Amino acid sequence: MLFPHRGLLLVQNSVALVLQNRCVNMIANLYHAPIGDGEKAVGVGTVGSSEAIMLAGLAFKRKWQQKRKSQGKPYDKPNIVTGANVQVCWEKFARYFEVELKEVKLNEGYYVMDPVKAVDLVDENTICVAAILGSTLTGEFENVKLLNELLTNKNKKTGWDTPIHVDAASGGFIAPFVYPDLEWDFRLPLVKSINVSGHKYGLVYAGVGWVVWRTKEDLPDDLVFHINYLGSDQPTFTLNFSKGSSQIIAQYYQLIRLGFEGYKNIIENCIENTRVLREGIEKTGRFDIVSKDVGVPLVAFALKNSSKYSVFQISESLRKFGWIVPAYTMPADAQHVAVLRVVVREDFGRSLAERLVSHIEEVVKELDSLRSRTAIGASHGYAGGTAAKKTEGEIHAEVTRRWKRYVESKRTGVC
Ligand SMILES: Cc1ncc(COP(=O)(O)O)c(C=O)c1O
């Protein structure tokens, strides 16, 4: 009894481990992992999707290196193919673990990874192609089924076996419940691992994510450590060691309390509230909606006419009503497009959606009237005493320059 707290930690650890494994089993089943009778799913609870992605990426890198070594081929230039719309954690993975990131550029009007271009970028050093189920920027689901098809053909032609990882940080707790026929998961043979954030639509407070592998062959043995000093053999494959078990317990509680039907009802509700919000924003006549109907329940929208004021000004003005609505520019090659984004979670009800629309209307009206006063000022040389009236083009260029400065200082605002 010298260290009574150690005993407590131990009990918590083994209970949390059991609950973690049960969560992994439920999630892997949800994603159609081919689990045989009596077999356990392969996966682990993480701090969020970021840690999950680091682990999945490491597993791909190690598998690819092992294969290249066994073939006597060089294994020092691994790369990973993604869309330019990936979340920053993929850039972190690439930089921290020395893997080249080959990004498929976007276009105006097409803000997800094009599977054809992605497969074109694949070469013998590609450790995997990462597709996103629910782009952070627009919520759109990438076409994993088409990617699987195209990559299967390329693998056949080349003799490579380039796999797919699905970053389902948000979509992993959406698609199974409301789009059960959408094939994006282990139903597709090349999908070898999937991550999901428990703290997004998994409905747990911040600090939990999951990564699951298709089979145990997809997670190289030598990445898994075995320790026995907590009383029994415990396999561990995480970046850190100790962490609180409360998120795991909360995730387990939500999974068994809500069940499939419970999650389905909540997500359907979010989708309905997203529709109300989207239609309200459309009715203002000022915005183009860039998010899609099928995807993460969110509304991403751009100004139809951005020569008068910017989405950044709208975002700033909405703060006085207590709204924090991020505004950001798209990645390459669509960086000239700037959008606002509202993510609809279970606590964002219909009345809040309606209130936000009316505040957006108010802000836009206010900016309109400010703009007409400024235009009068401009014609009288308001801009630092310049006598000449500014043309629409000059004002647009100036507004764009200001956005750029603003955005560059706020680049990490998208999570
Ligand atoms: C597509 C995508 N991947 C990964 C992440 C990182 O997730 P987490 O915050 O759980 O680490 C996010 C976060 O927004 C995301 O949207």
Side-chain angles (χ1 to χ4, degrees):
M1 290 297 287
L2 268 179
F3 302 105
H5 66 283
R6 263 328 264 177
L8 190 63
L9 186 71
L10 201 155
V11 174
Q12 280 180 339
N13 252 322
S14 49
V15 170
L17 200 69
V18 171
L19 298 188
Q20 171 189 265
N21 293 343
R22 288 186 190 176
C23 290
V24 166
N25 269 313
M26 285 187 256
I27 293 168
N29 273 299
L30 201 58
Y31 301 164
H32 303 92
I35 307 167
D37 278 350
E39 266 179 26
K40 284 191 185 132
V42 186
V44 66
T46 56
V47 176
S49 276
S50 305
E51 188 192 8
I53 283 166
M54 306 285 158
L55 299 177
L58 271 175
F60 283 119
K61 183 178 172 188
R62 183 58 58 96
K63 274 214 83 146
W64 172 83
Q65 284 178 325
Q66 283 171 345
K67 186 163 181 211
R68 299 279 294 178
K69 267 188 218 174
S70 72
Q71 294 171 332
K73 292 182 177 162
Y75 53 90
D76 59 336
K77 288 194 170 50
N79 70 60
I80 188 163
V81 173
T82 69
N85 52 318
V86 280
Q87 212 261 0
V88 67
C89 63
W90 285 98
E91 295 171 40
K92 283 190 186 176
F93 165 72
R95 206 175 299 169
Y96 296 170
F97 295 101
E98 299 183 334
V99 174
E100 184 201 351
L101 192 64
K102 292 171 82 175
E103 290 182 340
V104 177
K105 302 269 189 278
L106 312 182
N107 301 311
E108 185 169 343
Y110 192 85
Y111 304 119
V112 288
M113 177 177 75
D114 178 342
V116 175
K117 292 185 186 161
V119 172
D120 277 351
L121 286 183
V122 168
D123 61 28
E124 61 180 344
N125 294 322
T126 303
I127 62 171
C128 82
V129 181
I132 317 173
L133 202 76
S135 169
T136 317
L137 307 171
T138 60
E140 186 172 347
F141 290 165
E142 292 184 341
N143 192 339
V144 193
K145 192 172 180 194
L146 178 60
L147 177 67
N148 181 78
E149 224 172 275
L150 297 170
L151 202 49
T152 304
N153 292 342
K154 181 148 184 173
N155 283 345
K156 260 191 208 141
K157 268 190 219 142
T158 55
W160 305 332
D161 54 3
T162 313
I164 296 173
H165 174 86
V166 182
D167 174 359
S170 294
F173 275 116
I174 295 168
F177 305 114
V178 289
Y179 309 115
D181 297 331
L182 186 77
E183 290 176 46
W184 61 275
D185 55 13
F186 295 123
R187 281 168 287 184
L188 305 172
L190 291 181
V191 174
K192 303 296 182 192
S193 51
I194 298 174
N195 68 276
V196 64
S197 297
H199 53 216
K200 293 190 169 77
Y201 290 89
L203 310 177
V204 179
Y205 38 82
V208 62
W210 301 94
V211 54
V212 284
W213 283 270
R214 183 184 193 85
T215 64
K216 61 179 180 347
E217 284 70 43
D218 297 304
L219 174 59
D221 270 345
D222 65 345
L223 290 178
V224 181
F225 291 82
H226 290 264
I227 51 132
N228 62 10
Y229 58 85
L230 291 178
S232 60
D233 176 59
Q234 290 194 4
T236 137
F237 179 40
T238 45
L239 294 183
N240 58 325
F241 183 63
S242 300
K243 69 175 180 212
S245 50
S246 58
Q247 285 92 349
I248 302 284
I249 295 167
Q251 182 76 80
Y252 181 68
Y253 174 72
Q254 291 289 57
L255 289 172
I256 56 168
R257 180 178 77 101
L258 295 170
F260 191 94
E261 281 304 312
Y263 272 94
K264 184 168 183 273
N265 290 342
I266 290 171
I267 303 300
E268 280 174 350
N269 212 23
C270 293
I271 291 175
E272 173 57 14
N273 292 328
T274 306
R275 185 189 60 74
V276 171
L277 180 65
R278 185 180 56 242
E279 289 178 3
I281 292 171
E282 268 172 336
K283 265 194 205 133
T284 65
R286 303 306 185 96
F287 300 100
D288 287 322
I289 307 291
V290 299
S291 43
K292 303 281 187 238
D293 290 352
V294 173
V296 180
L298 64 79
V299 186
F301 50 110
L303 270 167
K304 278 184 196 296
N305 177 356
S306 52
S307 65
K308 297 180 178 172
Y309 42 82
S310 70
V311 287
F312 301 98
Q313 284 164 291
I314 296 177
S315 173
E316 276 299 303
S317 303
L318 281 170
R319 281 177 182 257
K320 69 171 182 259
F321 295 105
W323 298 103
I324 299 176
V325 180
Y328 47 90
T329 49
M330 293 293 185
D333 280 339
Q335 39 309 47
H336 55 290
V337 180
V339 299
L340 290 150
R341 183 194 65 169
V342 181
V343 179
V344 176
R345 299 245 331 223
E346 81 279 19
D347 52 354
F348 187 88
R350 190 184 176 117
S351 57
L352 271 186
E354 288 167 348
R355 199 175 325 157
L356 176 56
V357 171
S358 83
H359 287 155
I360 291 173
E361 280 168 341
E362 227 170 289
V363 160
V364 165
K365 264 190 214 140
E366 207 174 276
L367 288 169
D368 274 341
S369 73
L370 260 182
R371 150 78 192 169
S372 38
R373 288 205 296 275
T374 317
I376 296 166
S379 66
H380 289 80
Y382 81 98
T386 318
K389 181 178 174 181
K390 293 200 171 197
T391 63
E392 281 296 319
E394 283 168 337
I395 292 172
H396 184 66
E398 190 174 321
V399 171
T400 309
R401 261 197 311 279
R402 281 193 201 169
W403 289 3
K404 275 204 150 165
R405 278 207 300 275
Y406 187 85
V407 172
E408 269 148 26
S409 65
K410 298 207 163 208
R411 175 77 182 130
T412 52
V414 184
C415 61

